[in-house]
Amino acid sequence: MEHQRPKIIDVARLAGVSTATVSRVLSNPQIVTAETRELVEDAIRQTGYRLNHAARNLRHRRTGGVVALVPNLSNPFFSHILAGMAAVLAPAGYNLLVADTRTAGGDTVLGYAEPSRTDGLIVLDGALPADVLGRRPVVLACEWIPGLAAPRVKIDNRAAATMAVNHLADLGHRRIGHVAGPPGNVLTQARLAGAEEALKARGLPPPLVLQGDFSLESGRRAGAEWLALPAGERPDAMFLASDAMACGFIGEVQHRGLSVPRDVSVMGFDDIELVAHMTPALSTIRQPREAIGRRAAQCLLAMIGGDPLAEDIVLPVELVLRGSTAPPRRQ
Amino acid sequence: MEHQRPKIIDVARLAGVSTATVSRVLSNPQIVTAETRELVEDAIRQTGYRLNHAARNLRHRRTGGVVALVPNLSNPFFSHILAGMAAVLAPAGYNLLVADTRTAGGDTVLGYAEPSRTDGLIVLDGALPADVLGRRPVVLACEWIPGLAAPRVKIDNRAAATMAVNHLADLGHRRIGHVAGPPGNVLTQARLAGAEEALKARGLPPPLVLQGDFSLESGRRAGAEWLALPAGERPDAMFLASDAMACGFIGEVQHRGLSVPRDVSVMGFDDIELVAHMTPALSTIRQPREAIGRRAAQCLLAMIGGDPLAEDIVLPVELVLRGSTAPPRRQ
DNA sequence: ACCCCTCTTGAAATCGATTACATAACTCCG
DNA sequence: CGGAGTTATGTAATCGATTTCAAGAGGGGT
C-alpha cells in the first residue's frame, strides 16, 4: 500500500463502482441504492478516504471561505461577534478567515477580497474604501460604509445613545459630556447625534464633546482633558462611545485621586466582559454581540446562495446599570 | 465579451502564447524572455486577469491556509499573537484561519485539522487530544500538548513565575498566595512550580493556592475565597496566573471595600493592554505576544517547506512594575 | 558544414473531485 | 410481449491552473 492519501478513484475501485457513484454517495446519498451506498461507505471506511476540498471547490467554483474584516482584533468587543459568525459558518461548510484591517496592509485586505480566495465578506470596519471590496457578496456588521449598497446588521446607535444619556439625565445630571469615537466614523456620528438629541429633548445644554477613537488610550486622554478643565466646568456625567474608552477614562480619573461615580458618573457602550468586574462596575449599553455575528453570517450565506434579500437587520440593545453611574453629588 | 472572469487561456490567446507561458510569467518570470513577458503582462492588464487560487492549490497539492486553534478568542491575550502570525503568513501567501476551540465543537476542530483544508496548524490550546491533529505540520505556541512531538514557541513560565514571586518577596511580603490556572494545564503547572520554587529558595512558606481557570470570573471567585479567609490567614500578596484573573480578583476585593495594594498586593501574568489602565495599574509579567505569533508562524512555514528544524524557541519575558504591588502594611 | 548544448516555448497530462449525458436495467401497462 | 417511463450507474468532459516532456531556435566549437 502506498502512503498516499486515497482518492475518490481508490474508493471506487475497492467498492467496484465508478467515481461518479462515490461522489454521489458523498454529496447526495439518497439517489444511490441503499445497497451500493453501503458498499461505498464501507470502502470509504476501509481506505480512510477524506474528501479533497480544493478539488471540490474548484469544480463548484467556490472557495468555501468567508472573510471577516475587523478593525482591531485586540478589542474584545469583536471576539464574540466572530464566535457567532463561526457558529453559523462552520456547519454550512465555510471557513472563517479573520483579518485585522489595521495591522494587515491594504494589499492584504485586497488579497482577501479576491473572489478566488473567499466567497464573501463580512465587514466590521466602516473606514474601508468601498471600491476595495469589489462586486461580490458583502455584509456590513456594526459599522458600515456610506457609499456601499449592502445589507447591514446593526443596532440603533442613535437610540442607544439616547437611552444612555436619558439614564444620566434621569439620575439628575445636567452637565453631561460625551467622548466620541474617531471623526468620520458612522458610529461616532450616530451616537453623538443620539446624545445631542436626548439632551435637546430635555432642554439640557448640548454636551461637551471630547474626541477619542474607541481605544483605551484615547479614553485615558479624554480623562486627562476632563481633569484639566476648571472644576466648575467639568461635566458631572460622561457618556463614552465605547467601553474601552470608558475604562481608560475611569483609570485616569482614579489615578488622579478622584472617584467614580462620586465625582463623575460614567457610561460606556458595548458591555465587554471585563467592565462588569471593574471597580466601579461600568454602566453601559449592551450590544448583542453573538447575535450580530450570527445574523451577519446567515445574511451572507443567503447572499452567497443567491437570495437577494438585501434587508438591514436592526438588533435590540439593553441598558445595563451598574456602579459607575449615580446621582450627582449635592453641591 | 462575456462577463466571466478571464482565465489563463484568455490571457494566453490575447498575448498569442500558450497557457504554459502565461503560467510561467505568473510564477517564475525570469525564465521567460523579457519580450514575451511584457506581452503577457500587457494581456494580463488588459483582461484584468486574476489567478484562481483553488486551481493553483489543487495542482500544488496545498491549500494556502493555516489554522490557529485558540482556546478563547475573547481573551485579548491572543489577539496580538494572531496579528503577529498574520504578519508573517500573509506575505508568504497563506491565509490565517482562526478557530476558537471552546466555542467550536470537536468536529469543527477536526475539520480544520483536515489536510485538505489547511497546510498546517498552530495550536495555542494545550487541552486538545494529540490524535485529533493528525500527522502534519504543527507548531505549539504558549501552551503545548504533552504527548505531542512538535516544535514549541513559548516563554519560560517557571522562571517568569519565579520573577513574579521574587518581586513580591523583595517588597517584604512573606505570606504569598497563588491563583493557578485550570488543573492539568501545562502553564498552570509550570507557573505554580516556579512560584513554589521561589518561595522555597527564600525559606518562605509554600503558597496558599486557589484554583482558577485563567478567566475573569474565576479570578473574581478567587477574590471571594480570599476575602472569606480569616483576616489573619490571608496572604498579603497574590500572584495570579493570568491578567484576566487578576482583574477579576482586584474587582472583587475592591467591591468589598478593601484596597489594592494597601490590603493586598497583586501580580498578574501576560500584560494585556487593559491592565495598564486599571486602578491600580497592574504589575505583571509581559509576554512578547507579537513575537510569539511571528516566530510560531515562521516555524510553521519552515516545516511546511520541509525543513525539519524541530527546535523549541523560548522567548524572554519582562517584569512590569506598576501600582498594584507595594510593601506590606505595617501591622 | 556538422554536431552538441542551451534557452524558450508549446502540447498535453495532471491535480481530485463533480456532473451532463448516455446507457442499461427494471417496472408497468395496454 | 413490446414500448414508454423510471431509476441506478458509468463514461467522459470539466473546473483553472501547473508542469513534464519534447521540439525548435540559436550559438559555439571543430
Side-chain angles (χ1 to χ4, degrees):
Chain A
M1 290 290 117
E2 295 311 312
H3 282 300
Q4 301 304 315
R5 274 179 73 101
K7 318 191 297 182
I8 203 171
I9 194 168
D10 301 316
V11 176
R13 272 202 267 267
L14 182 61
V17 300
S18 76
T19 62
T21 301
V22 177
S23 175
R24 286 191 267 258
V25 170
L26 255 29
S27 43
N28 216 352
Q30 69 277 16
I31 70 167
V32 174
T33 345
E35 210 177 357
T36 325
R37 196 190 316 150
E38 279 185 26
L39 228 54
V40 172
E41 278 163 354
D42 277 349
I44 289 177
R45 268 188 291 276
Q46 281 182 47
T47 52
Y49 168 77
R50 316 259 31 208
L51 174 59
N52 180 318
H53 288 89
R56 166 180 281 187
N57 288 341
L58 174 57
R59 185 68 233 246
H60 280 164
R61 300 148 142 279
R62 62 161 228 169
T63 69
V66 164
V67 67
L69 299 177
V70 180
N72 176 8
L73 250 187
S74 347
N75 188 334
F77 172 65
F78 293 109
S79 53
H80 280 170
I81 298 184
L82 295 175
M85 299 193 306
V88 169
L89 294 172
Y94 284 86
N95 288 330
L96 177 62
L97 315 205
V98 179
D100 187 317
T101 54
R102 297 283 179 270
T103 61
D107 292 346
T108 312
V109 173
L110 218 146
Y112 277 122
E114 184 59 36
S116 86
R117 292 184 96 83
T118 46
D119 296 322
L121 315 185
I122 300 178
V123 178
L124 294 108
D125 181 349
L128 294 174
D131 55 341
V132 162
L133 305 178
R135 179 183 336 294
R136 51 213 257 61
V138 176
V139 173
L140 303 169
C142 300
E143 301 194 11
W144 60 93
I145 300 174
L148 191 63
R152 317 193 217 282
V153 177
K154 57 198 254 312
I155 58 163
D156 185 338
N157 286 280
R158 177 186 280 248
T162 299
M163 276 171 75
V165 168
N166 277 339
H167 164 61
L168 294 171
D170 286 346
L171 287 170
H173 295 284
R174 297 192 40 85
R175 285 208 314 266
I176 296 175
H178 179 53
V179 180
N185 182 288
V186 287
L187 304 180
T188 299
Q189 292 164 357
R191 292 175 192 171
L192 175 59
E196 285 172 338
E197 200 172 81
L199 291 173
K200 195 154 164 199
R202 290 178 163 245
L204 293 176
L208 169 79
V209 177
L210 302 176
Q211 196 193 102
D213 61 10
F214 293 141
S215 76
L216 212 42
E217 173 56 23
S218 76
R220 196 199 54 70
R221 281 196 303 269
E225 285 179 57
W226 180 86
L227 284 159
L229 292 171
E233 291 179 22
R234 290 178 188 153
D236 48 14
M238 294 295 289
F239 164 48
L240 294 97
S242 77
D243 277 359
M245 291 197 295
C247 290
F249 185 95
I250 293 178
E252 182 68 9
V253 167
Q254 291 178 331
H255 273 294
R256 306 286 203 84
L258 297 195
S259 161
V260 175
R262 200 179 41 111
D263 298 303
V264 57
S265 279
V266 176
M267 281 234 44
F269 201 112
D270 289 344
D271 196 29
I272 60 179
E273 190 187 6
L274 190 122
V275 297
H277 296 266
M278 308 188 344
T279 308
L282 188 67
S283 293
T284 191
I285 299 286
R286 174 177 303 159
Q287 297 203 49
R289 301 191 272 153
E290 178 126 3
I292 291 174
R294 260 202 309 273
R295 299 299 293 271
Q298 287 162 351
C299 186
L300 186 66
L301 289 181
M303 293 184 71
I304 290 174
D307 275 4
L309 86 162
E311 266 189 32
D312 289 7
I313 298 170
V314 177
L315 295 168
V317 297
E318 191 181 332
L319 183 65
V320 178
L321 301 183
R322 300 202 183 97
S324 68
T325 49
R329 195 160 35 147
R330 294 277 109 242
Q331 320 240 314
Chain B
M1 289 290 117
E2 297 310 311
H3 283 300
Q4 301 303 313
R5 290 190 78 177
K7 320 191 297 181
I8 202 170
I9 193 167
D10 301 316
V11 176
R13 273 202 266 267
L14 183 60
V17 300
S18 74
T19 61
T21 302
V22 177
S23 174
R24 286 190 267 257
V25 170
L26 255 29
S27 43
N28 217 353
Q30 69 277 15
I31 69 166
V32 174
T33 16
E35 211 178 356
T36 325
R37 197 190 315 149
E38 278 185 28
L39 228 54
V40 171
E41 278 164 355
D42 277 350
I44 290 177
R45 269 188 292 277
Q46 281 181 47
T47 51
Y49 169 76
R50 315 258 35 206
L51 174 58
N52 179 318
H53 290 87
R56 165 180 281 187
N57 288 340
L58 174 58
R59 185 68 231 245
H60 280 167
R61 300 147 142 281
R62 64 161 228 169
T63 68
V66 164
V67 68
L69 299 177
V70 180
N72 176 9
L73 250 187
S74 340
N75 188 335
F77 172 64
F78 293 109
S79 54
H80 280 172
I81 297 183
L82 295 175
M85 300 194 304
V88 169
L89 294 172
Y94 283 87
N95 287 331
L96 177 61
L97 314 206
V98 179
D100 186 318
T101 54
R102 298 282 180 272
T103 61
D107 292 346
T108 312
V109 173
L110 219 144
Y112 277 122
E114 184 59 36
S116 87
R117 293 185 94 82
T118 47
D119 297 322
L121 315 186
I122 300 178
V123 178
L124 294 107
D125 182 349
L128 294 175
D131 56 340
V132 161
L133 304 178
R135 178 183 338 295
R136 51 212 255 64
V138 176
V139 172
L140 304 170
C142 301
E143 302 195 10
W144 60 91
I145 301 173
L148 190 63
R152 316 193 219 282
V153 177
K154 58 198 254 314
I155 58 163
D156 184 339
N157 285 281
R158 177 186 280 247
T162 299
M163 276 170 76
V165 168
N166 277 338
H167 164 61
L168 294 172
D170 286 346
L171 287 170
H173 294 283
R174 297 191 41 85
R175 284 208 315 265
I176 296 175
H178 179 54
V179 180
N185 182 287
V186 287
L187 303 180
T188 299
Q189 292 163 358
R191 292 174 191 171
L192 175 58
E196 285 172 338
E197 200 173 80
L199 292 173
K200 196 156 167 195
R202 293 178 160 245
L204 293 174
L208 170 80
V209 177
L210 302 177
Q211 196 193 101
D213 60 12
F214 293 140
S215 76
L216 213 43
E217 173 57 24
S218 75
R220 195 200 54 71
R221 280 196 304 269
E225 287 179 56
W226 181 87
L227 284 158
L229 293 170
E233 292 179 22
R234 290 178 188 155
D236 48 14
M238 293 295 290
F239 164 47
L240 294 97
S242 80
D243 277 0
M245 291 198 295
C247 290
F249 185 94
I250 292 177
E252 182 69 10
V253 167
Q254 291 178 331
H255 273 294
R256 305 286 203 86
L258 297 194
S259 160
V260 175
R262 200 180 42 111
D263 297 304
V264 56
S265 279
V266 176
M267 280 234 43
F269 201 111
D270 289 343
D271 195 29
I272 60 178
E273 190 188 5
L274 190 122
V275 298
H277 296 267
M278 309 188 343
T279 308
L282 189 66
S283 293
T284 190
I285 300 286
R286 174 178 302 158
Q287 298 203 49
R289 300 191 273 152
E290 178 125 5
I292 291 174
R294 259 202 309 273
R295 299 299 293 271
Q298 287 162 351
C299 187
L300 186 67
L301 288 181
M303 293 183 71
I304 291 174
D307 274 3
L309 87 163
E311 266 189 30
D312 289 8
I313 297 170
V314 177
L315 295 169
V317 298
E318 192 181 332
L319 182 65
V320 179
L321 301 182
R322 300 201 183 96
S324 68
T325 49
R329 195 162 33 151
R330 296 276 110 244
Q331 320 238 315

